[in-house]
Amino acid sequence: MFKKLVFALAVSSFISHSVFAYQSQSSLEGGESSTKESYTDQESRKNSWLKDKDLALGLLESNYDLWAKRIKSDYPSLLQQIELYELAIESEFQQPRLLADYVTLLGWSGRYIQAVSFYQSNLQNIALPTYALNVVALSAREIQNYALSREIYSQALAQSPGYVDAQLGLAALDIREGQWDIAEQSIQNVLEAHPEHEEALSLLAYLYNQQQARAVEKVSTYDKILALNSDEADIVRLKTLNLLELGIIEPAEKAMKQQPEIYQDDDWLKLASIKNTKAVRRIARDPRAQLNSKFINEALEANSAYLKQLENLSSSDKKVIAMAYADRLLVLNKSGQHEQVLQLAHSTLDYQSSMPDYGMVALADSYQAQYQSLKAYELMDSGFSNEQIAIDNNEALKAGYYAALDSGYIDPAETYLQHIEDNNPQWIYSPDKSRRTSNPDFPSARLMQAMHFAFINQLAKAQFQLETLLNTAPGNNEYRKNYADVLRWRGFVEESNQQLDMVQATDSNYQPAEISRIYNHMAERQFAQAREAVESLNDPETLPVSRLKADYDIATSPKLYFSTSLANSSGSNFSSKDRNYAFSAYSSLLNDHWRLFAKSQINYSRFFAVSESVSALGFGAQYQSKLHNTELELYQIEELNNVEGGISSTVFFDDHFSLNLGHQTYNKQIPVRAFFSDVSGDLNALSLSYRHDERNLYSLAWQRSDFSDGNQRQTVSLSGSQTLLHDYEQRLTLSEFLYRETNSADTNRLYFNPDSALSVSLDVSYFRMLYKHAPTHLWHGLNLQIGRYQQKGFSSDAIWGISYEHQWQLNKRSFLNYSIGYSEQVYDGQTENGPVFNLTYGVTL
């Protein structure tokens, strides 16, 4: 019976350890206490044995079997037996049987490390009996030295091919290493020879429990086990509790309900605890289970039953109840029921100070999901401050880091990041510093530090840090994938693809790289490839996959844009009360390339006490590809009867250069004054843009319009923009603009028509984040424009403008920008000035 119990406990160790501090704990039923003498009696016997040491050693030397029998009879405690065997070994008795029995006792007593160490130091060259080999193999398995365990089990079976304990031990090892088919075949071989072997049936049931869709076989196997038991209450109870330890809950619960009188209150609590643990663990570990309403409901029901029992027991510890509530928070959080998480947290405030860290992290994550990043930050900050959360808990530190970042608190975020770095040094040293091993979490900590620069908009620095990491570990695909992401964010999609090609060559199944590649396809307008790749993602819908699908949906969904500008200028002959409105609607992406659209434009102007307007309504199609983005439009000017047409196209040469071409048979930007002077005209436009990186952009543009009154207008402009400062909270941008205009006709026109004009201006804008509540954020800032305007026939004059602007990112699908300002321009030597207002709104449906 004792050997069977040791074996069963070895099997139960697969599932007895806790996950996230869940309440299920292993307990040894009926261990040494049932046979253990009082400490005084044992010491008396030991002292007697020591006084008679010579006689005892003489007996050992002459008759080991008798000596061993006497030890076992007089000292039933394993610990006492081990001590006496050690005394004998210290007396330089090296009899193989004695050594074999000693290492067996070590394994039986759970001293697995000591048993393996003694074997490796003293017994590798000794032919051990099969039972000793079996115990050493079990010990090696329990300390996860699987290679040594497999080698020793093989030795045992070589000595005794039909040795069942070794066969089952090897099967248990196969289960640990995930070799289900091999393990099942080994167990079935044992059962063919011994159909009623209880340990084999128990192990087979456990094997079935590890595999999906094997519930029927599992129940059938445990029916056989229960059929072998007698009706003695103690044995039935012990078997049922063993089933619980193995995680075989259904037969155990059935047995308990059939004979409830033989079970104690703690047994029922244990049943509820293990049901809770199993259901919650499944939700915590398996992303697929988090999307399965059946599993979610089972976990919540099991947790409710467990909480009810805990609250009905007056002896229940407050911390244990808090842990059960933490389990519930975890399930609700993982299943996306964030509102329920917050409601539960509010109703269990008294337990939060006793709650384990995983419950706090789940609550913080739900605060984040509900856009309450400040509360998430305050929760984590409080948890760390009162030591409720250990400072070496990396998951909690990450939750605190992202909450602080989303709340706009850079300094605390960087403090959390520093703790993560401190917790994950490159090397892990032994206590005496004599040995070291590489820390598997070190690369992730270094990567998080590098990506922090990307999160605070310092992309160039993030790129440099990642290049440094890749120089030290060129084979680290996690580094390279994130390096590819930063390159894409900087606009270097071609270089990003090159990095992903390198990842693909070494690990074709690395899903993060697949996701990054899809984002690259979308950045290059290759939506056919993106769609096919999204559809081919067969893995569970993890958070990155969910975000990818949401972003793909945003990129391909219908879009609406509205903008308006208003001016109320005065002071010159061309002073106008202008109001301009523009609206456009794009369909969802059709056939991976096409969008249909409708556009409306209305321009109002008041001059000489007369208000006039021109409106245009058009329909067309847009074609997107990696090479170009082209729009074709047919539109009608409301005040005219003829249909006009336009084409605009942007050709992309690489990540840096693009060419913009455009033609309109009727120039929709002709001033309202010109239109009501019966003047019309076409438009031809050409521009070449150079994008050095995400902070530097330059453009050279040319336009020409042939007016119906004989005037021919040409303009050439050169512009540049440099972001001098851009971090998490602020950005400073400098823009330059050089403009040259010529008109062929005389200036005797109702609309402004200089012979030639040249302007140069400098625009400085400074913006600072005013509000952040992810994903909503608000920036506000000032734009200041100063320059000179030179018109032929008139003196050179200063021009300037100033405006205050708000830039809202309302959510991932919509934005709103508006500004109010004051500007001063010059026309025919006369200064025109007045207030201006602009508004732009965009939304993805």
Side-chain angles (χ1 to χ4, degrees):
M1 180 63 183
F2 182 79
K3 185 167 67 172
K4 292 180 180 180
L5 182 58
V6 170
F7 180 82
L9 288 174
V11 173
S12 71
S13 69
F14 288 124
I15 49 87
S16 62
H17 60 279
S18 62
V19 176
F20 295 112
Y22 297 141
Q23 292 74 44
S24 178
Q25 299 179 2
S26 297
S27 62
L28 189 148
E29 295 290 336
E32 293 184 19
S33 60
S34 61
T35 58
K36 200 171 185 180
E37 293 182 284
S38 71
Y39 180 79
T40 303
D41 290 341
Q42 291 180 349
E43 286 300 309
S44 176
R45 288 178 178 270
K46 178 180 176 183
N47 293 334
S48 174
W49 190 87
L50 290 174
K51 290 178 182 178
D52 198 15
K53 182 177 179 181
D54 292 338
L55 177 61
L57 295 179
L59 178 61
L60 172 61
E61 191 174 55
S62 61
N63 191 334
Y64 171 76
D65 289 336
L66 183 58
W67 180 86
K69 184 177 181 180
R70 174 183 167 185
I71 295 299
K72 184 175 181 180
S73 173
D74 293 349
Y75 305 95
S77 167
L78 285 178
L79 299 180
Q80 290 295 322
Q81 292 178 27
I82 289 172
E83 290 180 3
L84 297 178
Y85 270 78
E86 287 174 347
L87 287 173
I89 293 171
E90 290 172 3
S91 301
E92 300 185 356
F93 278 89
Q94 298 295 317
Q95 188 183 90
R97 284 275 307 283
L98 181 143
L99 299 177
D101 287 351
Y102 172 65
V103 79
T104 301
L105 290 171
L106 290 176
W108 281 359
S109 65
R111 299 183 181 182
Y112 303 127
I113 296 176
Q114 189 176 348
V116 173
S117 177
F118 185 80
Y119 169 80
Q120 291 178 321
S121 301
N122 303 281
L123 303 180
Q124 284 187 303
N125 297 322
I126 297 177
L128 295 178
T130 306
Y131 67 85
L133 289 173
N134 184 65
V135 173
V136 174
L138 183 147
S139 299
R141 187 184 74 211
E142 292 307 301
I143 65 172
Q144 299 183 7
N145 190 340
Y146 296 148
L148 178 62
S149 178
R150 189 173 296 280
E151 177 186 339
I152 299 175
Y153 274 132
S154 299
Q155 291 180 28
L157 289 173
Q159 288 182 198
S160 191
Y163 189 50
V164 172
D165 286 351
Q167 290 176 314
L168 294 180
L170 195 57
L173 180 60
D174 288 330
I175 292 174
R176 282 202 174 181
E177 296 186 320
Q179 302 185 55
W180 312 120
D181 293 340
I182 297 175
E184 183 173 359
Q185 185 59 53
S186 299
I187 299 169
Q188 293 291 3
N189 291 340
V190 172
L191 290 172
E192 286 181 9
H194 309 281
E196 297 184 352
H197 198 288
E198 293 184 35
E199 285 75 24
L201 290 169
S202 296
L203 190 60
L204 183 61
Y206 173 72
L207 171 61
Y208 289 149
N209 194 49
Q210 306 311 299
Q211 304 173 74
Q212 294 183 354
R214 304 299 295 269
V216 175
E217 294 96 326
K218 176 184 67 175
V219 173
S220 175
T221 303
Y222 264 89
D223 284 342
K224 295 176 183 178
I225 295 173
L226 294 173
L228 297 174
N229 289 331
S230 67
D231 294 330
E232 187 177 347
D234 290 342
I235 296 178
V236 173
R237 177 174 178 268
L238 180 60
K239 275 295 180 182
T240 302
L241 294 178
N242 191 38
L243 293 177
L244 288 178
E245 293 293 351
L246 289 170
I248 312 299
I249 297 174
E250 292 84 356
E253 186 174 12
K254 180 180 179 181
M256 293 177 72
K257 290 180 177 179
Q258 286 176 343
Q259 295 179 280
E261 68 279 359
I262 69 174
Y263 297 97
Q264 304 170 5
D265 288 343
D266 285 347
D267 299 337
W268 293 102
L269 184 61
K270 183 178 229 179
L271 171 64
S273 172
I274 292 178
K275 290 179 69 175
N276 173 73
T277 297
K278 180 179 179 181
V280 173
R281 179 183 295 150
R282 176 167 53 192
I283 301 303
R285 288 180 168 180
D286 189 353
R288 292 168 298 186
Q290 297 164 14
L291 302 173
N292 190 313
S293 59
K294 176 185 175 183
F295 292 153
I296 295 296
N297 291 333
E298 286 178 358
L300 293 175
E301 290 172 4
N303 181 261
S304 295
Y306 180 47
L307 275 167
K308 184 177 181 180
Q309 288 204 36
L310 283 173
E311 292 170 346
N312 289 337
L313 290 175
S314 58
S315 60
S316 295
D317 186 87
K318 181 178 180 180
K319 188 173 183 179
V320 176
I321 298 177
M323 293 170 74
Y325 277 121
D327 289 350
R328 193 168 191 84
L329 289 174
L330 178 66
V331 173
L332 292 171
N333 171 261
K334 292 294 185 180
S335 60
Q337 301 181 59
H338 301 296
E339 291 185 4
Q340 290 86 335
V341 170
L342 304 190
Q343 292 173 5
L344 178 61
H346 180 73
S347 64
T348 57
L349 286 173
D350 292 342
Y351 291 102
Q352 285 187 23
S353 60
S354 303
M355 194 167 286
D357 49 13
Y358 66 87
M360 303 286 281
V361 172
L363 178 54
D365 183 71
S366 288
Y367 275 134
Q368 286 280 89
Q370 292 296 99
Y371 310 116
Q372 299 184 38
S373 54
L374 182 58
K375 288 188 176 181
Y377 165 71
E378 292 173 345
L379 181 71
M380 290 292 96
D381 182 62
S382 174
F384 284 115
S385 298
N386 61 25
E387 298 184 351
Q388 184 177 357
I389 303 174
I391 202 65
D392 61 353
N393 186 326
N394 286 329
E395 290 303 314
L397 287 169
K398 290 177 182 178
Y401 167 76
Y402 290 114
L405 207 61
D406 284 344
S407 301
Y409 298 150
I410 296 299
D411 290 341
E414 292 180 342
T415 299
Y416 288 133
L417 187 61
Q418 183 62 51
H419 284 306
I420 293 173
E421 183 181 4
D422 294 342
N423 291 341
N424 296 280
Q426 185 173 5
W427 304 104
I428 299 176
Y429 290 89
S430 62
D432 60 0
K433 308 295 184 182
S434 62
R435 298 182 308 278
R436 72 177 187 181
T437 58
S438 59
N439 182 359
D441 295 325
F442 173 74
S444 294
R446 291 289 303 277
L447 176 61
M448 190 172 178
Q449 185 183 45
M451 292 304 291
H452 174 71
F453 294 112
F455 296 148
I456 61 174
N457 298 313
Q458 296 184 24
L459 294 177
K461 192 169 185 178
Q463 180 179 342
F464 175 78
Q465 293 289 333
L466 288 165
E467 287 170 349
T468 301
L469 293 179
L470 282 170
N471 287 336
T472 61
N476 189 315
N477 282 338
E478 192 176 11
Y479 287 167
R480 197 169 296 280
K481 177 265 173 190
N482 282 274
Y483 180 50
D485 285 342
V486 171
L487 289 173
R488 180 180 68 253
W489 296 337
R490 301 200 71 193
F492 306 146
V493 183
E494 291 184 2
E495 294 181 44
S496 177
N497 282 328
Q498 292 172 8
Q499 298 300 317
L500 294 176
D501 288 342
M502 297 174 67
V503 176
Q504 174 76 17
T506 57
D507 188 355
S508 59
N509 295 318
Y510 185 48
Q511 191 191 72
E514 295 178 35
I515 293 174
S516 186
R517 177 84 71 178
I518 296 171
Y519 277 111
N520 281 6
H521 288 325
M522 289 192 289
E524 293 186 314
R525 303 159 301 281
Q526 295 180 293
F527 288 101
Q529 293 89 326
R531 175 183 52 78
E532 293 171 358
V534 169
E535 292 172 351
S536 68
L537 291 173
N538 297 319
D539 289 346
E541 193 157 320
T542 59
L543 183 58
V545 173
S546 298
R547 287 176 176 171
L548 168 67
K549 291 183 176 180
D551 291 339
Y552 177 81
D553 181 65
I554 291 173
T556 58
S557 293
K559 303 177 187 297
L560 301 177
Y561 299 97
F562 171 78
S563 64
T564 182
S565 63
L566 292 83
N568 190 17
S569 60
S570 60
S572 79
N573 293 330
F574 298 98
S575 298
S576 299
K577 315 298 183 181
D578 293 335
R579 290 175 292 155
N580 301 312
Y581 303 95
F583 175 81
S584 59
Y586 287 82
S587 72
S588 59
L589 193 64
L590 307 174
N591 199 28
D592 299 318
H593 290 285
W594 292 93
R595 288 182 189 270
L596 303 180
F597 66 79
K599 293 184 179 182
S600 176
Q601 175 182 306
I602 305 175
N603 296 333
Y604 290 92
S605 184
R606 180 177 176 83
F607 49 93
F608 304 138
V610 177
S611 294
E612 301 290 354
S613 66
V614 179
S615 58
L617 177 64
F619 299 91
Q622 179 191 68
Y623 183 86
Q624 293 178 301
S625 70
K626 182 178 179 180
L627 179 61
H628 66 94
N629 189 355
T630 299
E631 288 191 0
L632 298 170
E633 181 185 10
L634 294 177
Y635 54 93
Q636 183 177 16
I637 306 302
E638 186 177 346
E639 290 73 15
L640 301 176
N641 293 323
N642 54 314
V643 176
E644 306 292 341
I647 181 173
S648 62
S649 181
T650 302
V651 181
F652 303 96
F653 298 112
D654 54 27
D655 290 337
H656 299 282
F657 286 96
S658 62
L659 180 66
N660 299 274
L661 306 165
H663 175 72
Q664 293 178 359
T665 60
Y666 179 90
N667 186 351
K668 290 196 282 186
Q669 298 306 318
I670 285 180
V672 176
R673 288 169 177 252
F675 183 86
F676 282 92
S677 299
D678 294 325
V679 176
S680 62
D682 61 2
L683 173 67
N684 295 285
L686 176 67
S687 67
L688 177 66
S689 298
Y690 171 70
R691 184 183 182 280
H692 182 72
D693 52 33
E694 78 283 2
R695 296 194 176 197
N696 298 276
L697 176 65
Y698 305 92
S699 179
L700 175 63
W702 169 85
Q703 286 189 355
R704 172 174 169 167
S705 290
D706 293 325
F707 290 93
S708 60
D709 62 356
N711 181 35
Q712 184 183 86
R713 174 177 293 176
Q714 292 194 72
T715 66
V716 178
S717 62
L718 179 64
S719 61
S721 177
Q722 303 86 37
T723 302
L724 306 179
L725 171 66
H726 193 187
D727 58 23
Y728 185 76
E729 296 178 314
Q730 58 185 341
R731 66 177 183 265
L732 175 65
T733 305
L734 179 67
S735 300
E736 309 84 25
F737 192 75
L738 178 65
Y739 175 82
R740 169 73 174 174
E741 176 182 333
T742 61
N743 289 273
S744 63
D746 60 60
T747 60
N748 188 22
R749 299 289 187 276
L750 182 60
Y751 59 93
F752 183 57
N753 188 43
D755 288 338
S756 65
L758 176 68
S759 69
V760 58
S761 61
L762 185 68
D763 190 341
V764 180
S765 67
Y766 177 77
F767 279 80
R768 191 169 186 86
M769 185 164 60
L770 186 63
Y771 171 82
K772 184 171 180 62
H773 201 169
T776 304
H777 54 80
L778 167 64
W779 290 72
H780 73 138
L782 285 174
N783 291 285
L784 175 63
Q785 181 186 41
I786 55 175
R788 300 291 296 182
Y789 184 80
Q790 173 65 61
Q791 181 181 346
K792 183 178 179 181
F794 299 91
S795 62
S796 174
D797 294 287
I799 55 175
W800 63 276
I802 188 171
S803 64
Y804 174 70
E805 182 175 355
H806 278 178
Q807 296 178 347
W808 282 95
Q809 183 67 47
L810 302 175
N811 51 52
K812 293 188 72 174
R813 289 179 173 265
S814 63
F815 68 90
L816 174 66
N817 300 334
Y818 48 85
S819 67
I820 186 169
Y822 190 90
S823 71
E824 185 170 288
Q825 306 297 324
V826 177
Y827 300 95
D828 289 346
Q830 293 179 313
T831 300
E832 177 179 306
N833 48 39
V836 293
F837 173 78
N838 291 278
L839 180 145
T840 303
Y841 174 72
V843 61
T844 299
L845 302 179

